[in-house]
Amino acid sequence: MDFYDAAETWSRDRIAATQLTRLRSLVEHSRKCAFYRERLDAAGVTPESIRTLDDVRRIPFTTKDDLRSQYPDGLLCVPRRDIVRMHCSSGTTGTPVAICHTQNDVNTWADLMARCLYMVGVRPDDVFQNMSGYGLFTGGLGIHFGAERLGCMTIPAGPGNSRRQIKLVKDFRTTVAHILPSYALILAEHMREMGENPADLPLRIAVVGAEPYTEAFRRRIEDLFAMKAYNSYGLSEMNGPGVAFECPEQHGLHIWEDAFLAEIIDPATGEPVPDGEVGELVMTNLCREGMPILRYRTRDLTRFLPGECACGRRHRRMDRILGRADDMFIIKGVNVYPMQIEKVIMGFPEVGQNYLILLENDGLGDVMRVQVEVRDEYFVEDMRILHNLQNTIARRLRDEILVTPRVELVQSSSLPCNEGGKAVRVQDLRATK
Ligand code: AMP
Ligand code: ZN
């Protein structure tokens, strides 16, 4: 195995032994803030009482509301002058949370990110273009410092402005890009409008993460640009990107367990689910000095993939994010995950990059509307063809989710994004009616 740093090749025993030592030190260190000291005292958890990794379950969970309640610096475990950087979560689920890092923290983070990139074949002579938003979002500086650490020429292109993105890719012969899944298709569409083929660009690898997408969506990105696309998972509370990343096998994301302790629990009971079953991911950062977080409830649903990865790395793999513990919705008594809907509509070549699920109440009962962007070249088609497409999508959706939605075809780029540029997938307007 060609690897970036030694921890990448550790055996299971070595990983587990390191996790235990680091968990004990973490319990000691996190007592430096009143919030964790009181929580740990109440639960009777001391460093000495952590004997095996299972003892992590005696530590109380930390929720997003806890983090908000300690805003801005209630969770600091080092003197304030030791903090060199702060970031915020993108507000995927509400008002932001601030996370503060020491110099060691940002160095460790850059190394973890560089490890991800090296794993999929990025090397110092690559040119890396980061199309993520900078500022408080971690996808900007977090990825940027990782690519620089690896030695790539790193272009902080920022989001949007497709014309400039393409010019930079061509002028600097960009070989690796970090791009949001929804934006990758917008970029490809833009090129096609200009009469160019995205596959002709020098791009060979894309880092694609920050929001959920399906395997079908990945294949589409790979085919359009003739490049490999690797799933990148992270969250601000655990630094940001660099938490879990796909290897060249593209079968699950390796969680860097030397730095993070991952659990998967039943969101209703808080108890661990058996390996291979879907539950809520709970994460503890084992190495952070500035603001450690213990047993964070991510609300992201996934599962550990059983068995060993063919690539030889022994860091456990998780499946792509299968949904949110809080985005599943119930319509006419049926549980629906937005990912099920995406899987169906992305199977249609006429469909563009975005869709929006609207849940409403028309006075007689719940109604689900699915607005689907249609690629420009199809939008000018004869009305009858569009009508047929609309009906076929509705029928396929019914087969998948057992509810018949109203499908509406809309023009490309007409659906909303949030301030971070992430696509908005579900709007539940039922509560306000
Ligand atoms: P933020 O708070 O801005 O760091 O956003 C973190 C959240 O973005 C995670 O908790 C996930 O819900 C989502 N996210 C990040 N990476 C991925 C990914 N590769 N697939 C699906 N969702 C992701
Ligand atoms: Zn692997």
Side-chain angles (χ1 to χ4, degrees):
M1 194 198 309
D2 191 13
F3 60 90
Y4 175 76
D5 60 18
E8 199 178 332
T9 65
W10 283 355
S11 66
R12 280 295 337 148
D13 285 351
R14 176 88 192 265
I15 291 171
T18 305
Q19 286 191 314
L20 185 57
T21 316
R22 292 189 174 166
L23 183 60
R24 284 197 193 111
S25 315
L26 174 72
V27 167
E28 176 85 58
H29 179 61
S30 56
R31 294 175 60 80
K32 290 180 188 142
C33 77
F35 175 84
Y36 276 125
R37 191 165 55 245
E38 283 160 22
R39 286 241 169 143
L40 292 169
D41 281 348
V45 179
T46 59
E48 306 72 48
S49 71
I50 302 284
R51 294 199 183 84
T52 70
L53 280 176
D54 282 344
D55 286 323
V56 72
R57 278 148 57 181
R58 298 181 31 239
I59 300 175
F61 293 119
T62 305
T63 64
K64 196 148 207 147
D65 282 341
D66 291 330
L67 300 184
R68 288 197 187 110
S69 77
Q70 299 303 308
Y71 179 89
D73 56 7
L75 290 175
L76 278 195
C77 286
V78 296
R80 200 166 176 152
R81 65 171 181 278
D82 291 346
I83 296 300
V84 299
R85 173 120 57 95
M86 73 79 86
H87 277 287
C88 283
S89 77
S90 68
T92 311
T93 50
T95 47
V97 157
I99 307 291
C100 299
H101 302 266
T102 65
Q103 187 62 56
N104 282 338
D105 292 338
V106 291
N107 290 348
T108 309
W109 180 12
D111 271 330
L112 289 169
M113 194 58 235
R115 191 198 284 176
C116 297
L117 298 176
Y118 195 90
M119 174 165 69
V120 295
V122 182
R123 294 294 178 269
D125 44 15
D126 275 302
V127 175
F128 191 103
Q129 190 162 324
N130 190 3
M131 304 184 185
S132 158
Y134 275 67
L136 294 171
F137 304 122
T138 56
L141 293 180
I143 297 256
H144 188 104
F145 277 79
E148 266 190 21
R149 173 63 56 104
L150 191 52
C152 300
M153 170 180 164
T154 309
I155 305 175
N161 200 341
S162 301
R163 187 177 293 272
R164 194 184 59 183
Q165 297 285 7
I166 293 162
K167 181 167 168 49
L168 287 169
V169 170
K170 287 181 181 165
D171 292 352
F172 291 92
R173 305 220 43 86
T174 302
T175 47
V176 187
H178 173 228
I179 188 165
L180 279 176
S182 42
Y183 186 60
L185 297 194
I186 292 176
L187 200 62
E189 194 68 43
H190 182 87
M191 285 194 76
R192 277 206 295 242
E193 275 165 19
M194 298 190 333
E196 296 187 48
N197 182 357
D200 294 339
L201 292 176
L203 291 171
R204 61 185 195 91
I205 295 174
V207 173
V208 183
E211 62 187 10
Y213 58 104
T214 54
E215 189 58 33
F217 210 103
R218 181 234 297 276
R219 294 289 165 225
R220 204 152 158 185
I221 295 172
E222 290 192 331
D223 291 347
L224 280 169
F225 288 89
M227 65 181 175
K228 299 296 278 179
Y230 296 99
N231 198 342
S232 160
Y233 171 80
L235 63 164
S236 311
E237 292 81 358
M238 295 291 123
N239 300 344
V243 173
F245 207 87
E246 273 180 341
C247 69
E249 298 293 319
Q250 292 188 316
H251 184 57
L253 295 86
H254 288 284
I255 302 166
W256 298 133
E257 295 184 287
D258 50 318
F260 304 99
L261 184 63
E263 303 165 72
I264 294 185
I265 61 158
D266 177 334
T269 64
E271 291 301 313
V273 298
D275 256 17
E277 277 186 27
V278 175
E280 180 182 343
L281 182 66
V282 171
M283 297 288 264
T284 298
N285 36 29
L286 293 171
C287 300
R288 204 158 61 202
E289 297 175 340
M291 201 182 254
I293 298 180
L294 309 181
R295 299 195 86 204
Y296 182 63
R297 300 279 302 251
T298 67
R299 312 305 280 160
D300 289 323
L301 300 179
T302 183
R303 61 192 181 112
F304 287 129
L305 294 182
E308 291 181 343
C309 186
C311 78
R313 290 174 187 81
R314 294 295 166 254
H315 293 260
R316 257 186 310 182
R317 288 167 303 159
M318 62 178 220
D319 205 343
R320 65 176 59 247
I321 299 299
L322 302 166
R324 298 271 305 165
D326 47 13
D327 84 352
M328 184 196 79
F329 56 86
I330 303 181
I331 179 130
K332 298 185 194 294
V334 180
N335 294 353
V336 179
Y337 286 96
M339 282 292 101
Q340 293 175 279
I341 294 179
E342 183 181 299
K343 202 174 77 194
V344 171
I345 58 186
M346 285 300 150
F348 288 84
E350 298 91 341
V351 168
Q353 58 273 359
N354 227 339
Y355 64 92
L356 175 65
I357 303 163
L358 290 154
L359 305 173
E360 295 163 323
N361 192 304
D362 67 359
L364 296 170
D366 288 351
V367 180
M368 175 175 164
R369 278 199 289 150
V370 182
Q371 298 187 326
V372 180
E373 285 186 1
V374 173
R375 299 230 307 267
D376 286 342
E377 68 255 44
Y378 292 100
F379 209 78
V380 292
E381 295 269 12
D382 175 325
M383 275 309 283
R384 271 171 312 180
I385 299 178
L386 289 177
H387 212 84
N388 267 340
L389 175 63
Q390 199 165 308
N391 289 341
T392 318
I393 295 177
R395 256 200 324 273
R396 297 258 177 89
L397 282 173
R398 204 217 116 79
D399 292 342
E400 172 72 28
I401 59 174
L402 309 174
V403 174
T404 311
R406 282 186 207 157
V407 173
E408 296 167 4
L409 304 180
V410 300
Q411 254 176 310
S412 63
S413 308
S414 59
L415 293 176
C417 290
N418 75 11
E419 64 196 45
K422 296 190 189 190
V424 177
R425 297 304 194 201
V426 185
Q427 279 181 4
D428 194 340
L429 307 168
R430 292 176 296 181
T432 56
K433 289 272 165 85

